[in-house]
Amino acid sequence: MSVSDIDRPIAVVPPRIGPFRPRRLIVALIFLALAAAPGDLGALTRELMTDAFVQVSAFVAATLIIFYGAEKLFNFNIGAALKNAKGWQVPMAALLGATPGCGGAVVVVAAYSSGNVGFGAVVATLTATMGDAAFLLIATRPDAAMVVLPLSFAVGIISGWVVDRLPAISMTPRTTNAADMVPRIGATRTRDWLFAAIALPGLVIGVSQLAGVDVAAVFDPVMPIVGVGGSILGLLIWSTSSLKAMTNINDTPVSRMAEETAFISVWVIGAYLAYDYLVAYGGFDLASWFQSVAPLLPLLGVLVGLVPGCGPQVLVTTLYINGLVPFAALLGNAISNDGDALFPAIAIDPRAAVWATVYSTIPALILAYGFYWLAPGFMN
């Protein structure tokens, strides 16, 4: 056995019940049972699944297919481009991070693991990214998104430049081939084509809604079929997937889009259901509760951002959209959260991931409480 064989990451095969992963199957069955429930519960669940698909998942699918399709079509290597960018490396990393979703930030983290970018670029991209919560904000509050995303981008650049000029912290990532750590799907599957086919009308409905069209009246016969059908297909893809979250760079754009959108959709559906169930069945006056701890809301938004993944961040955005937390909490969360990009960062270099998170927390606190004290009613 060679040294390279010893160093090569060993893929962990998840347990299966037939084609399904047991834990994911349980989650999928719970969602399906709620959607099939009689009366108001089932009706509300199906409505929320439809909203989650046309307001978020369809936009995620469109963005990913554009990103991965362009990468495949033009056969370019983003890691090499970042390495050759020199003084523009940090701004380019921040721009990739500010792109809605986690794909751009993951690319920068992978480039760091390969030695193509410095630690400042990692801080810049993780600070700039809002993760998958950006899709929800764009779909429902585009006015707020036009403030949060550019501001996060600017803060990411400044943070990256500052970190590169701080006293050196030894960051020596173990260079690996990121593709070796993720199993391949292979040829595009039928389920991937079906997901792409149902995401297209979902995108049309979502764009129409953003344009102010009464989608319930125009798309009434089709909208529930697209929304619930797309959500169910996403649950099927996710519950049978061998992947943890992100796909192999060598797979086809359609397969990568379907897999990653399905993963994101589960979190989005969960966030939608959690909020509306509390309002409809919990008897909670969430608005009054949050108002009673108003001075802590920016801090809570920042602290939630430290949690890896996009699910908690989607929930914070949902609370903001429903008027339960101020813009200051949303902004603090957007800057402090690292989205799904934190998972590969932890796997590749845990120490660098922790330090990058710490560095992104500082500007998040400053801006969150700056807006809370100096502009308390801004964008609320």
Side-chain angles (χ1 to χ4, degrees):
M1 180 181 294
S2 66
V3 174
S4 61
D5 290 332
I6 296 174
D7 292 338
R8 183 180 299 276
I10 299 175
V12 178
V13 180
R16 296 275 177 175
I17 298 178
F20 298 98
R21 295 173 63 170
R23 293 181 181 178
R24 295 189 176 189
L25 176 60
I26 292 172
V27 174
L29 289 177
I30 291 173
F31 282 158
L32 292 175
L34 291 170
D40 293 339
L41 177 61
L44 177 60
T45 303
R46 293 189 294 272
E47 180 183 349
L48 294 172
M49 281 186 168
T50 299
D51 289 343
F53 188 80
V54 302
Q55 292 177 2
V56 181
S57 299
F59 287 93
V60 173
T63 304
L64 290 180
I65 198 65
I66 291 172
F67 182 82
Y68 293 141
E71 200 173 39
K72 183 73 70 174
L73 178 64
F74 297 107
N75 193 30
F76 66 86
N77 188 313
I78 296 179
L82 287 169
K83 184 176 182 179
N84 297 326
K86 298 182 180 178
W88 289 96
Q89 185 177 103
V90 166
M92 287 179 63
L95 180 61
L96 286 170
T99 304
C102 299
V106 170
V107 167
V108 176
V109 170
Y112 173 73
S113 73
S114 303
N116 289 324
V117 301
F119 182 59
V122 176
V123 173
T125 199
L126 293 182
T127 301
T129 188
M130 190 180 177
D132 303 321
F135 291 110
L136 176 58
L137 190 64
I138 292 171
T140 56
R141 282 295 303 272
D143 56 334
M146 291 180 66
V147 176
V148 172
L149 298 182
L151 192 54
S152 297
F153 171 58
V155 173
I157 294 175
I158 296 171
S159 299
W161 280 341
V162 169
V163 166
D164 275 342
R165 285 160 177 77
L166 286 176
I169 298 174
S170 179
M171 295 291 176
T172 54
R174 175 171 54 89
T175 57
T176 61
N177 178 5
D180 291 338
M181 302 174 67
V182 181
R184 286 198 62 180
I185 296 170
T188 306
R189 305 161 300 187
T190 302
R191 73 190 76 167
D192 303 327
W193 290 114
L194 286 175
F195 193 85
I198 201 167
L200 181 58
L203 180 64
V204 172
I205 296 171
V207 172
S208 300
Q209 189 173 46
L210 289 178
V213 175
D214 185 356
V215 292
V218 176
F219 300 102
D220 182 48
V222 178
M223 191 169 169
I225 298 174
V226 170
V228 177
S231 297
I232 292 174
L233 182 56
L235 288 171
L236 173 65
I237 293 173
W238 175 73
S239 60
T240 58
S241 175
S242 299
L243 306 178
K244 185 175 183 179
M246 307 307 295
T247 52
N248 191 298
I249 60 174
N250 295 313
D251 277 316
T252 66
V254 175
S255 293
R256 299 184 72 188
M257 174 277 297
E259 282 280 346
E260 294 183 17
T261 304
F263 175 83
I264 293 165
S265 296
V266 175
W267 286 101
V268 175
I269 293 171
Y272 270 58
L273 296 183
Y275 171 75
D276 280 88
Y277 282 177
L278 281 175
V279 173
Y281 304 113
F284 293 106
D285 187 352
L286 294 179
S288 298
W289 189 87
F290 279 110
Q291 288 170 6
S292 67
V293 293
L296 296 178
L297 291 181
L299 175 62
L300 292 174
V302 172
L303 293 178
V304 171
L306 301 181
V307 180
C310 291
Q313 327 314 334
V314 170
L315 181 58
V316 170
T317 304
T318 302
L319 294 173
Y320 168 73
I321 291 166
N322 288 278
L324 299 179
V325 299
F327 178 81
L330 173 73
L331 181 62
N333 177 263
I335 294 174
S336 69
N337 99 69
D338 302 325
D340 294 327
L342 194 58
F343 290 122
I346 292 171
I348 292 167
D349 193 331
R351 186 165 178 260
V354 170
W355 275 108
T357 300
V358 169
Y359 285 134
S360 67
T361 301
I362 297 171
L365 286 169
I366 293 172
L367 284 175
Y369 275 101
F371 272 90
Y372 182 77
W373 285 322
L374 301 178
F378 184 75
M379 300 297 290
N380 291 336

